[in-house]
């Protein structure tokens, strides 16, 4: 076992300095820039608020990334001290050293909060967005690179400082001290502080709660947006609905539980939202879930200006005309990921589903057909078309009532797909009863173990040990056991 690396001498000196020298913040103008990262790390670990405030005011680099430090020492007092330092910058107060700070990055990577309960993560990190993808390494945070030309005059204090955050807005966020203080300081800064939010998640919020936030955010900075519309955040009269089209650089949009209203249904119409979607010229990924789209998918997709790379339409009660339209749409020319899970596609084979797979075969890399009521006969009909998807790298067919023979047939055919590395398969009907397309326990653990052993032996015989075949948890029982699904 490897032991933790001992602290560097510079780190020890920084801790000693902050511990023994109350006037250390005032002496920052005497320090070389190399000392600042170590002082910042020490200040966070010790919760030294005055030092943190002073370090922000005198930061000698254009970028300050705090993600790893926040994850290690998630103190509200420390965060408040950082905001206090920003407030002094925006009000042009005198600092012991002119700051070069242009970007304060508060984003957290998922890896930095995984293992924590969601309630704990949100209480400690109110700006945490659970789908953040880029993780900054501790070295990037603790050892920022100096300005390329260290002799260059620092930029004027009038140039705005960008605050990079990933916002998870849930419930009455005004009650959160950090977030409300941050937004208040931005409002009071008269343009010297700008909030840039790459990832925005809105959940359980009435429309009048997030209107002020959207007015403060730099809408052009938002690239990924998730909205859980349980409380009609996207109502036609809401501020959000009117500003959706202004998020011009949006790449990914997820709408869940949104009540689409189409003209034939009468009442309120979704025409305004559709017109807003038509203004999102850079949209590449669209996720729609738990919404009734039956027979109206064409109205949503037709308004988009460019072909999508990712399309996820989950549990939206799709019908044959929806899949037929999708197979003939412009989106099949670029589609890399297709997720139709939760829709009954059994009566579309043979027919529209085969046509759709043929249309996307040239580009498709990820396919999810979980819980689509598909049986062995449907699978057998789809296999020739599925095997034309030469770029397919992952396939999810879980929660479909296939037999053991059907799974063997699937493996033998897809083994020819060199790019296919991951397959998630369902518990076969011999091991578990199915009702309405869903597996119902108990699971016969002994039989399932035999199936798993046979599939692994077949992978070896077909010289495809690189393919990972697995059934979804918790269906990985020991021999001779009965497993009740959760």
């Amino acid at each position: 076992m490897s032991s933790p690396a001992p602290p560097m001498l510079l780190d020890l000196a920084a801790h000693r300095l902050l511990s023994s020298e109350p006037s250390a913040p005032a002496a920052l103008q005497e320090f070389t820039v190399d000392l600042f990262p170590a002082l910042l790390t020490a200040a966070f670990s010790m919760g030294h608020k005055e030092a943190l405030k002073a370090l922000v005011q005198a930061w000698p680099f254009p970028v300050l990334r705090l993600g790893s430090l926040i994850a290690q020492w998630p103190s509200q007092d420390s965060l408040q001290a950082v905001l206090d330092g920003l407030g002094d910058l925006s009000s042009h107060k005198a600092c012991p050293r002119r700051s070069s700070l242009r970007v304060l990055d508060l984003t957290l990577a998922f890896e930095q909060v995984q293992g924590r309960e969601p309630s704990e993560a949100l209480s400690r990190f109110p700006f945490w967005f659970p789908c953040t993808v880029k993780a900054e390494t501790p070295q990037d945070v603790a050892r920022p690179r100096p300005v390329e030309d260290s002799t260059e005059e620092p930029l004027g204090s009038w140039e705005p400082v960008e605050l990079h955050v990933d916002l998870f807005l849930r419930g009455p966020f005004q009650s959160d001290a950090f977030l409300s203080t941050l937004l208040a300081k931005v409002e009071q800064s008269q343009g010297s502080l700008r909030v840039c939010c790459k990832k925005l998640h809105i959940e359980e919020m009435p429309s009048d709660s997030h209107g002020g936030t959207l007015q403060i955010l730099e809408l052009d900075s938002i690239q990924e947006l998730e909205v859980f519309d349980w409380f009609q955040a996207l109502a036609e009269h809401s501020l959000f609905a009117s500003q959706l089209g202004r998020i011009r650089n949006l790449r990914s949009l997820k709408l869940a539980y949104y009540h689409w209203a189409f003209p034939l249904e009468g009442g309120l119409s979704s025409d305004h939202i559709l017109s807003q979607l038509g203004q999102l010229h850079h949209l590449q990924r669209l996720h729609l879930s738990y919404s009734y789209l039956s027979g109206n998918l064409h109205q949503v997709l037709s308004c988009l200006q460019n072909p999508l790379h990712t399309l996820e339409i989950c549990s939206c009660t799709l019908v044959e005309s929806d899949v037929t339209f999708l197979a003939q749409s412009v989106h099949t020319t670029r589609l890399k990921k297709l997720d139709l899970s939760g829709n009954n596609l059994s009566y579309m084979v043979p027919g529209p589903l085969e046509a759709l797979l043929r249309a996307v075969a040239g580009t498709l890399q990820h396919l999810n057909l979980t819980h689509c009521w598909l049986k062995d006969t449907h699978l057998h009909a789809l296999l020739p078309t599925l095997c034309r998807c030469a770029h397919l790298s992952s396939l999810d067919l879980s929660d479909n009532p296939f037999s053991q023979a059907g799974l063997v047939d699937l493996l033998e055919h897809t083994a020819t797909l060199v790019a296919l590395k991951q397959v998630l398969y369902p518990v076969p009907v011999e091991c578990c009863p199915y009702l309405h397309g869903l597996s119902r326990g108990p699971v016969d653990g002994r039989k399932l173990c035999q199936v798993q052993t046979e599939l692994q032996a077949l992978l070896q015989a077909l010289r495809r040990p690189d393919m990972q075949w697995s059934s979804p948890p918790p269906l990985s029982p020991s021999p001779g056991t009965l497993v009740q699904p959760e």
Side-chain angles (χ1 to χ4, degrees):
M1 295 179 63
S2 59
S3 57
M8 297 178 60
L9 182 60
L10 184 60
D11 299 327
L12 293 174
H15 274 268
R16 182 65 180 270
L17 177 64
L18 292 179
S19 300
S20 60
E21 182 55 71
S23 62
L28 287 177
Q29 68 269 27
E30 306 296 333
F31 296 157
T32 64
V33 295
D34 292 338
L35 284 173
F36 274 75
L39 284 170
L40 182 72
T41 302
F44 254 95
S45 66
M46 299 169 61
H48 200 310
K49 294 185 290 185
E50 291 302 318
L52 284 172
K53 180 178 177 180
L55 283 164
V56 171
Q57 294 170 359
W59 193 250
F61 309 113
V63 178
L64 173 54
R65 296 186 177 92
L66 295 180
S68 291
L69 300 183
I70 294 171
Q72 287 180 269
W73 301 288
S75 167
Q76 290 285 342
D77 289 342
S78 296
L79 290 172
Q80 190 65 48
V82 171
L83 292 185
D84 291 341
L86 285 176
D88 287 347
L89 281 177
S90 63
S91 60
H92 312 294
K93 292 184 179 180
C95 298
R97 181 179 193 145
R98 293 188 67 186
S99 174
S100 296
L101 185 62
R102 298 278 72 86
V103 174
L104 175 62
D105 191 344
L106 297 171
T107 57
L108 294 170
F110 177 76
E111 293 79 4
Q112 293 170 327
V113 291
Q114 66 181 345
R116 303 178 188 268
E117 292 295 326
S119 57
E120 177 192 2
L122 288 173
S123 64
R124 288 172 176 256
F125 316 121
F127 43 86
W128 170 61
F129 183 84
C131 295
T132 299
V133 292
K134 182 179 179 182
E136 300 290 348
T137 63
Q139 291 80 7
D140 290 335
V141 177
R143 298 289 184 269
R145 294 181 180 178
V147 183
E148 292 183 2
D149 183 359
S150 58
T151 63
E152 184 179 349
E153 182 70 14
L155 296 173
S157 59
W158 57 268
E159 187 171 343
V161 175
E162 294 184 359
L163 308 181
H164 289 193
V165 294
D166 291 332
L167 291 178
F168 189 105
L169 303 181
R170 183 178 186 180
F173 68 87
Q174 293 91 339
S175 62
D176 181 86
F178 173 82
L179 193 52
S180 58
T181 300
L182 184 149
L183 296 177
K185 286 187 178 296
V186 173
E187 286 184 302
Q188 297 164 7
S189 70
Q190 298 181 338
S192 60
L193 296 178
R194 300 170 55 198
V195 179
C196 297
C197 177
K198 182 180 178 181
K199 305 172 190 294
L200 175 61
H201 179 110
I202 299 176
E203 182 177 342
E204 294 185 13
M205 290 180 62
S207 58
D208 58 346
S209 293
H210 58 68
T213 309
L214 290 174
Q215 290 179 322
I216 292 174
L217 293 180
E218 296 287 330
L219 296 183
D220 285 346
S221 69
I222 302 175
Q223 296 186 23
E224 299 183 26
L225 173 64
E226 290 190 358
V227 180
F228 283 72
D229 198 45
W230 293 326
F231 292 92
Q232 294 188 335
L234 287 179
E236 295 296 317
H237 63 275
S238 71
L239 178 63
F240 181 88
S242 64
Q243 300 212 41
L244 178 60
R246 295 181 54 206
I247 309 177
R248 299 182 181 88
N249 293 316
L250 193 65
R251 263 66 173 175
S252 176
L253 175 62
K254 178 176 183 178
L255 301 180
Y257 302 97
Y258 177 61
H259 176 67
W260 295 93
F262 299 101
L264 293 179
E265 299 177 6
L268 294 176
S269 170
S270 295
D271 287 349
H272 184 64
I273 287 294
L274 294 175
S275 67
Q276 296 288 306
L277 289 176
Q279 300 178 46
L280 304 177
H281 300 290
H282 298 286
L283 192 67
Q284 297 178 348
R285 300 183 294 275
L286 178 63
H287 176 110
L288 307 173
S289 60
Y290 302 102
S291 303
Y292 186 78
L293 283 173
S294 186
N296 292 292
L297 181 63
H298 66 285
Q299 296 201 45
V300 179
L301 296 185
S302 295
C303 66
L304 301 179
Q305 300 295 317
N306 297 305
L308 295 169
H309 292 180
T310 295
L311 179 60
E312 300 170 296
I313 314 174
C314 309
S315 301
C316 289
T317 59
L318 297 183
V319 296
E320 190 168 346
S321 61
D322 295 318
V323 178
T324 299
F325 167 80
L326 182 56
Q328 299 171 353
S329 72
V330 66
H331 301 290
T332 58
T333 61
R334 300 278 184 87
L335 214 55
K336 296 181 179 180
K337 180 177 181 179
L338 177 63
D339 186 344
L340 300 178
S341 58
N343 295 287
N344 186 354
L345 306 180
S346 60
Y347 62 95
M348 303 183 199
V349 182
L353 186 56
E354 290 177 279
L356 175 57
L357 292 181
R358 281 197 298 270
V360 300
T363 57
L364 193 65
Q365 298 177 10
H366 309 280
L367 177 62
N368 190 336
L369 297 177
T370 298
H371 185 40
C372 290
W373 286 265
L374 301 176
K375 299 181 180 179
D376 283 2
T377 54
H378 308 121
L379 178 62
H380 184 74
L382 288 174
L383 281 176
T385 307
L386 190 62
C387 290
R388 296 174 60 179
C389 301
H391 303 288
L392 194 65
S393 62
S394 69
L395 174 63
D396 190 346
L397 294 170
S398 53
D399 256 331
N400 287 292
F402 297 153
S403 69
Q404 179 178 351
L407 293 179
V408 171
D409 194 24
L410 173 66
L411 194 157
E412 289 176 340
H413 278 79
T414 56
T416 61
L417 297 175
V418 179
L420 186 58
K421 303 297 182 182
Q422 287 189 320
V423 176
L424 197 61
Y425 63 90
V427 176
V429 293
E430 293 90 348
C431 305
C432 178
Y434 277 76
L435 180 63
H436 303 303
L438 278 174
S439 58
R440 303 293 182 184
V443 174
D444 189 320
R446 184 181 297 278
K447 287 185 178 180
L448 181 58
C449 186
Q450 292 173 352
V451 172
Q452 293 170 334
T453 301
E454 179 179 343
L455 293 177
Q456 291 302 317
L458 187 55
L459 283 172
Q460 295 294 330
L462 294 172
R463 298 182 180 180
R464 287 303 309 271
D466 58 317
M467 288 180 69
Q468 297 182 3
W469 275 60
S470 59
S471 55
L475 303 176
S476 299
S478 302
T481 63
L482 292 179
V483 177
Q484 292 281 359
E486 293 182 351

